Amino acid sequence: MTMEDSTNPQPILQVRDLNLFYGEKQVLKKISMEITPHSITAIIGPSGCGKSTLLRCFNRMNDLIENCRVEGSIIFGGKTEINDRKLDVTELRRRIGMVFQRPNPFPKSIYDNIAYGIRVAGKVSKSELDARVEEALRKVGLWEEVSDRLEDSGMALSGGQAQRLCIARTIATRPDIILMDEPTSALDPISTQTIEELILELRENYTVVIVTHNMQQAARISDFTAFLYQGELVEHSPTKIMFTRPAEKRTEDYITGRFG
Amino acid sequence: MMFRRVAMTDLVAYGLILVFTAISFVPLMALVFFIIAKGLPRLDLDFLFSISPSLESGGILAPLFGTLVLTVIALVIAVPISLLAAIYLSEYARKDRWFHLIELTIVNLAGVPSVVYGLFGLGLFVIFFGFGKSIIAGALTMACMSLPLLITVFYQSLRAVPMTLREASLALGASRLATTFRVVLPTALSGIFTGVILATARIAGETAPVLFTVAAYYMPNLPESLSDQAMLLSYHLYAISTQNTGVSDEQKYAVTLVLVGLVLGINLLAIAARAKAKNKISSLV
Amino acid sequence: MLRRGKLVELAIEKVLIRTAGYLAVVILFLILLFILREGAPFFTSYRLDEFILRADWYPLSGRYGMLPLLSGSLLVTAVALIFSVPMAICSAIFISEIAPPVLRNLLKVLLEILASVPSVVFGFIGIVLLGPWLQQLLGIRTGMNALTAGILLAFMALPTIASVAEEALQAVPRSLREASLALGASRMQTILKVTVPAASTGIIAGIMLGVGRAIGETMTVMMVAGGSPQITLSPLEPVRTITGTIAAEMGEVVMGDQHYRALFMLGLLLFLITLGINTLSGVIIDRIRRRQGGRGGQGT
Ligand SMILES: Nc1ncnc2c1ncn2[C@@H]1O[C@H](COP(=O)(O)OP(=O)(O)O)[C@@H](O)[C@H]1O
Ligand SMILES: [Mg+2]
């Protein structure tokens, strides 16, 4: 299902008329958008506008919320309907991983944190497991820092390290898409910079969708930006265009800081 | 003037609260010391670990053994079931009407008097299943009695596991079941352990449920199978302190000391375990 | 996209875990069922109204009036409440509002220890210590009476009442206390006029749970209440309770005869009384917990 056609790639996610309700309250309104493979898409918008909710639609994390109802369609890789009730969500989430706002390593060793996703997917040999753990840690630049203490608890890492551990944990399951929900908002500026550089590197192998309420961050790292306002997708365009010549008045107001 | 009067009534209130609090706690501590002082002289290895040829001669191995066996078997039955029940309530159940029904049922089960559990065990296990008065009937009765306590404590310790850990696991493609067994349970382990210890103390100290289901007044030997009756520490104390058996006061106090020591000791263990569980969870959030 | 092992997983989830979840409901139902199964035939040979209304319990002469037993249970419970309510509320206030943290934690541990002392131990203490002591002190005929049983029960109900009351006091919002203090009330005035009233529903729920505990308590009352099935208001008289009657007489009956079945009907009576009390206090406690603010939303 990986996209080989690089000239005019088929979108990896196609969202059509997505509505989402928490009980009676409609939180996402008729959202339609496409995500280009091997790109970084930033979702911006004021707090409470539905960014996290939209992101969690892509890997069905909203299933955990009892009174949540979803309408519309999200096609993954051109053929898989994500909102299909019969879909194996565990398989889906292995293909579309997620990194959360606060680093949330398991109270397990660093090694077991990374190995977790691989192990739950099925049996693998010890040597392959070792190799994949090392590969994941190298990709996030954590290998040098922790290779001699893989048995230490993942909880003992600093905030920035812990978040990189969480990214490595996601990478280790070899997803196609990585969703990130404000991954740096709980971190200091230096850790934030490290993570941003990491995200830029990830573009080579993965598709990244990142929620941020930091517009500079969106401008710095994303190829495309989607502006969400009160549950509606106001504008979705290449980041350069969005931040220089926004098509919509509301977008301009938001990015120039007139509200939000 | 004003100030003085207010201060006076305040002082009286403080005094009353203090006195009543003291009345609540001081006798308990005095009692524990009293039991220790009265029971300790008679306590030795021989008293603990020999089988008495008659009630009067001491030697409480039989009741000690009976209590131990009964408690272990009851726990072996009750703990896994309660854990599954708590998992259902914490990880699977929607918080709907049925959930509240179960919740209310558990509160009620916890409040059912232990003697009613005894009647229930007599009706179901002793008579209906035909187990007769036996260790297995007593253990099953005790298991039923400890379910509400176990489910409640297990449920609370599962709920204390931060949601973010479940989300992380699910987002990595783990199923709900895998998440429960690989992430939630290990994190909640010390809380679960606390529940088990609390139930241990409860079972070891209870008397009423075993009256009609297992307890033997006197046996000159240890039980040999699960269908035998058994002597139990709590029932033994009841028997020697109410029947005119010629058992010396010294011996009664010694039995009391063993029972109290056992139950309080186990409880202190539970309290320590819970403190540890709290620390662990708070380091996660 | 079905995986291997998915079926096993589904079986565990849908059958094992789900069934266990509902087990509590099944057991409550079974308790009722099997008490009725053994007890209900009683009314084929004895009239329900006589069971409920007669004032004599003489199984040997075939008379099964439960009133003296009910009054015995109520008297002992009332005595227990008279002692335990002030003790428990004061302890809860002290623990929640006055004691420094170290002492608070110590007292909470002591409460738990008190809750775990086996009831036979209380009974034993009643027989060898409290009973004889009260007999001497008050110059009465016997130390085995409702007063002795009630005092011991007070200590047994104390942890239940005190811990629920303490929880209720803790649940009172800080802002309420601060508002009172800012208006110039002293700390004690704040406790008595603001905090305690605000927590009163919870305290009442705790007392009700304590009542349930006291009514259902068996070994202690069987050992020290004296055992006479009589209707009396005097706590200095020996009385016989529902629980004590079941526990003491079950050993002497022939399985399946009228007396045996009567004891099961006493069990049913007890079951229904405690069910009522616990449901009510459960509802109250639940309401308080909910008012305290349930689980919040999803966050940002
Ligand atoms: N579990 C929930 N139940 C009800 N409403 C929710 C829930 N989660 C979020 N919301 C509401 O949905 C809206 C969007 O939330 P969210 O997607 O978290 O916003 P954002 O991430 O953009 O700050 C908010 O108004 C929020 O209050
Ligand atoms: Mg958000």
Side-chain angles (χ1 to χ4, degrees), chain A residues 177-188:
Chain A
I177 305 177
I178 301 176
L179 309 172
M180 298 185 166
D181 191 351
E182 305 193 24
T184 60
S185 68
L187 304 181
D188 61 273

Side-chain angles (χ1 to χ4, degrees), chain C residues 101-138:
Chain C
V102 178
L103 189 56
R104 165 184 311 167
N105 290 335
L106 179 72
L107 291 180
K108 284 175 104 166
V109 167
L110 281 179
L111 266 190
E112 276 188 70
I113 287 186
L114 186 57
S116 72
V117 174
S119 52
V120 268
V121 171
F122 280 108
F124 173 67
I125 294 305
I127 291 176
V128 296
L129 274 183
L130 186 64
W133 185 68
L134 282 175
Q135 184 181 8
Q136 242 181 15
L137 188 77
L138 304 172

Side-chain angles (χ1 to χ4, degrees), chain A residues 20-23 25-28 43-56 62 64-68 101 181-182 211 213 228 231, chain C residues 296-300:
Chain A
L20 185 143
F21 304 82
Y22 288 125
K25 183 175 155 202
Q26 182 164 9
V27 171
L28 296 180
I43 302 178
I44 61 169
S47 181
C49 68
K51 304 182 296 292
S52 299
T53 303
L54 176 61
L55 198 70
R56 292 162 66 96
N62 287 320
L64 305 185
I65 296 163
E66 260 175 35
N67 61 351
C68 176
Q101 191 167 358
D181 191 351
E182 305 193 24
V211 165
H213 63 213
L228 215 56
Chain C
Q298 188 50 49
T300 37

Side-chain angles (χ1 to χ4, degrees), chain C residues 207-235:
Chain C
I207 294 174
M208 284 171 50
L209 278 181
V211 171
R213 177 100 209 266
I215 282 197
E217 173 43 48
T218 308
M219 298 313 290
T220 310
V221 289
M222 168 160 79
M223 291 163 85
V224 304
S228 317
Q230 59 167 327
I231 297 182
T232 172
L233 280 177
S234 162

